[in-house]
Amino acid sequence: MPDWRNPQEYEFTQRLTAAQWAWEFLRRNPVYQAEWRDFMTTWRELEAEYGKPSQRDIAAWKRDSRAWLPADRCQQSDCRVDGDKVLIECALGARWGFYKFPPDPRDDDPVGGKRLVWREVPLEIPLLEAEAVAPGDAHRAALIFDLSLPLAPQMEQAKRQLQIEQRRRVSAGRLVPPRVADHADDLARGLRLLDAAAQAVPLQEQARVFRLDTEDAGKALSRALSLRDGGYRNLLWLH
């Protein structure tokens, strides 16, 4: 990993796409790192016994229980179910939100190298009453639909209204637009904070380097941890 104290070592992040940003946070997740190591230990044992792709004994490989996980441990995915089990490589990818063979956390760019493709992230739109949106909440808005009337024209009008309101809040500085370039600096700082925390650097020292008070540094680190520990997939909505 780069030297977290040196911002120049993170200049590569200015060129990252949303998909690449998501990988940068996932690769720093210690649970993913541990699961990948366990997976690769099993994978190498299978290769030692049944051969690598060009010489692999596929039939024997698939008879080995180590090559599979119970299907009930991979319910939220489209992995092919064979009986009551799924292949370990698909299960691991589905658990963390991607297709293809699970990349090594040390892999700098599996996205650009086409070794990782993110699964589609469902966008949840909760059905709320207007009163559920707190005053001053810059991230949410509520519109009232008349369910006794046709929905299609109401939805078209709602789309226009929301686009206007989004631009208004961005112009007023209340909302950061969903563009990679507008979030890049904060995301890069998040990576640096995660790299510092991984080296057990005290929060006070992190705050000093970033010229923040300890409370603000703690909040920034919490946001970075949230992205590392699952929120990385939400970065895929940036453009």
Side-chain angles (χ1 to χ4, degrees):
M1 292 300 177
D3 176 4
W4 73 275
R5 297 174 185 274
N6 184 358
Q8 292 182 341
E9 294 196 17
Y10 291 80
E11 287 183 352
F12 72 94
T13 62
Q14 299 300 314
R15 302 183 297 275
L16 297 183
T17 64
Q20 290 168 323
W21 272 115
W23 170 247
E24 287 297 328
F25 280 93
L26 172 58
R27 70 189 297 208
R28 287 166 166 81
N29 186 300
V31 179
Y32 177 73
Q33 294 168 2
E35 289 189 4
W36 185 86
R37 287 193 297 269
D38 290 344
F39 163 79
M40 283 307 299
T41 296
T42 300
W43 191 265
R44 288 172 182 138
E45 290 172 354
L46 291 168
E47 285 192 328
E49 194 159 344
Y50 305 117
K52 295 190 176 182
S54 58
Q55 301 89 25
R56 181 168 297 162
D57 185 341
I58 297 293
W61 181 296
K62 290 190 173 183
R63 287 194 298 268
D64 195 309
S65 61
R66 293 173 294 176
W68 305 88
L69 281 177
D72 60 8
R73 293 179 58 183
C74 193
Q75 293 180 357
Q76 307 301 319
S77 80
D78 54 3
C79 289
R80 178 180 176 182
V81 177
D82 189 332
D84 60 351
K85 59 189 185 298
V86 297
L87 291 166
I88 56 174
E89 61 270 31
C90 188
L92 182 59
R95 168 167 159 69
W96 294 98
F98 57 78
Y99 295 106
K100 298 200 174 185
F101 195 82
D104 185 337
R106 295 169 295 184
D107 190 335
D108 286 332
D109 189 15
V111 174
K114 308 299 183 185
R115 296 182 295 281
L116 180 151
V117 176
W118 292 105
R119 293 171 180 264
E120 183 177 351
V121 182
L123 181 61
E124 296 183 6
I125 304 177
L127 182 63
L128 302 173
E129 299 295 335
E131 295 78 9
V133 179
D137 185 344
H139 292 85
R140 299 201 296 174
L143 298 174
I144 301 298
F145 287 80
D146 187 337
L147 299 182
S148 69
L149 298 175
L151 290 177
Q154 295 185 73
M155 293 178 71
E156 283 299 317
Q157 179 63 21
K159 179 180 178 181
R160 288 193 292 271
Q161 286 184 257
L162 291 171
Q163 288 172 333
I164 292 170
E165 181 62 16
Q166 184 185 58
R167 288 195 293 269
R168 187 185 71 79
R169 295 187 187 186
V170 168
S171 297
R174 297 178 58 209
L175 188 68
V176 179
R179 297 192 298 258
V180 172
D182 292 289
H183 292 264
D185 289 342
D186 284 341
L187 292 174
R189 184 177 67 178
L191 294 185
R192 293 172 65 190
L193 288 167
L194 290 177
D195 292 346
Q199 299 173 40
V201 176
L203 185 60
Q204 292 83 352
E205 175 64 10
Q206 297 179 45
R208 187 189 67 78
V209 171
F210 288 104
R211 298 181 181 179
L212 299 172
D213 60 42
T214 304
E215 182 179 356
D216 286 343
K219 290 178 181 179
L221 177 58
S222 293
R223 289 193 295 270
L225 289 169
S226 178
L227 289 170
R228 184 197 72 179
D229 297 339
Y232 58 88
R233 295 190 72 195
N234 293 332
L235 298 175
L236 300 173
W237 290 110
L238 300 178
H239 56 80

